Amino acid sequence: MTEEHWLKSWNAYMAYLKKNKHRPSKYHQEDMKLVNWLKYNRKMRNKGLLSEERSKKLNELLEEAETYRRVNQHQYLHKENFEQENHEE
């Protein structure tokens, strides 16, 4: 994948996050291209085949995506309990 194409996909994913305020869904056909792009790049990073520059950009994207992570109702209502549990581990 050329650098230009990779950056275009990265920008498309970031734009999707900012516009829709949620991650692309594997259940929506129009989102599948972005879902598959992210999945492929995660695999490449985990295998150590992603360049350092792309890896940094991917981590930036994943941090942004984490801010839109879905929280279920129980976690939302009992937020303080989940925060304590996460710090104990």
Side-chain angles (χ1 to χ4, degrees):
M1 182 180 291
T2 67
E3 190 66 25
E4 184 179 319
H5 186 259
W6 194 90
L7 284 173
K8 185 177 177 182
S9 297
W10 185 88
N11 286 326
Y13 200 102
M14 286 296 271
Y16 183 95
L17 288 174
K18 292 180 190 280
K19 178 184 176 195
N20 297 298
K21 306 293 186 212
H22 64 84
R23 298 180 196 185
S25 172
K26 66 181 180 180
Y27 300 108
H28 294 95
Q29 187 64 36
E30 62 273 8
D31 296 350
M32 284 305 295
K33 187 174 182 180
L34 294 174
V35 170
N36 288 334
W37 178 85
L38 182 63
K39 188 184 340 179
Y40 172 78
N41 281 284
R42 276 187 185 155
K43 286 181 182 181
M44 295 297 284
R45 184 193 60 187
N46 292 341
K47 290 180 181 180
L49 300 175
L50 203 60
S51 72
E52 188 175 330
E53 181 182 329
R54 285 185 181 186
S55 188
K56 286 179 183 177
K57 294 287 278 183
L58 184 64
N59 288 337
E60 181 183 334
L61 185 138
L62 292 172
E63 287 176 15
E64 182 70 24
E66 187 64 24
T67 62
Y68 298 112
R69 191 171 138 222
R70 185 177 176 277
V71 178
N72 68 35
Q73 184 177 8
H74 183 76
Q75 288 174 325
Y76 180 77
L77 294 174
H78 300 79
K79 185 177 181 179
E80 63 282 346
N81 293 339
F82 282 94
E83 288 175 354
Q84 290 173 358
E85 290 174 8
N86 289 336
H87 288 356
E88 292 173 2
E89 294 175 356

